[in-house]
Amino acid sequence: APINVPVITAPISVPTSISAPDLNAIPTVTDVVARASDIAGTSSAAKSGAGSASGTGRAVSQSTGDVVSASRGDGSAWGEEQVDVAVRQQGAANLKYPDRLRAANVSGTVMMRFIVGANGRVEMSSVKVLDSPHDEFTAAVKDALRSMRFRAAEVRGTKVRQLVEQSFTFRLG
């Protein structure tokens, strides 16, 4: 029986150059994720986990140092590594430990990504849940984000929007 061997044809024209990359292309939030070695300019309260909840459990927020780069000048947010002065949380996060989860002895950490606007407030439409062990923890964090205040990031003396990743830990005991 004859063997059916595919025929491979060489290309007729081979490109000798490639076009230059578009350096003005705007990356999306998921395009570039960088790990900052430290939260430059972040208050010790934010680093150590400021915020508490009433009752026997504690809820704390802590910035992780994870930042996401995004383009700027077109209304999108800056990454921490791109600003001269990074966002700083002002005061404690007003986290409320969900009563039902406290009673059930449930703890966990919620990881959120959000933009802090030039006015120092979280832009709620930008809030993304990266990881959460329970919907009630997520709801408690979203409630806290509505009232949280930050010192806005700055670039060359101008307040700008900054993309932030922050963890919020609910811990009993």
Side-chain angles (χ1 to χ4, degrees), residues 38-43 67 79-89 116 150-155 160 162-164:
D38 193 13
I39 307 278
T42 302
S43 69
V67 294
E80 181 185 19
E81 74 285 353
Q82 299 171 313
V83 299
D84 299 328
V85 178
V87 161
R88 270 195 231 176
Q89 185 175 328
V116 173
F150 295 83
R151 192 187 83 191
E154 293 182 26
V155 174
V160 296
Q162 181 184 325
L163 191 58
V164 176

Side-chain angles (χ1 to χ4, degrees), residues 4 27 86 98 110 117 144 161 166:
N4 191 4
V110 177
R161 300 166 72 226
Q166 188 165 341

Side-chain angles (χ1 to χ4, degrees), residues 45-132:
K47 285 184 183 178
S48 65
S52 63
S54 59
T56 60
R58 273 185 2 121
V60 298
S61 69
Q62 185 170 16
S63 185
T64 63
D66 289 335
V67 294
V68 179
S69 299
S71 292
R72 58 260 169 236
D74 62 353
S76 60
W78 294 68
E80 181 185 19
E81 74 285 353
Q82 299 171 313
V83 299
D84 299 328
V85 178
V87 161
R88 270 195 231 176
Q89 185 175 328
Q90 294 181 323
N94 187 20
L95 288 173
K96 182 178 181 321
Y97 208 116
D99 292 333
R100 195 169 72 87
L101 297 180
R102 183 188 306 113
N105 203 28
V106 176
S107 60
T109 299
V110 177
M111 186 66 160
M112 302 293 270
R113 178 180 293 153
F114 53 90
I115 293 173
V116 173
N119 63 358
R121 298 185 68 142
V122 174
E123 296 178 6
M124 293 306 294
S125 63
S126 73
V127 174
K128 301 278 186 264
V129 180
L130 301 179
D131 188 40
S132 180

Side-chain angles (χ1 to χ4, degrees), residues 140-161:
V141 170
K142 285 182 178 180
D143 286 344
L145 287 173
R146 284 182 182 85
S147 63
M148 288 176 71
R149 299 294 180 267
F150 295 83
R151 192 187 83 191
E154 293 182 26
V155 174
R156 292 185 285 291
T158 301
K159 292 180 179 185
V160 296
R161 300 166 72 226

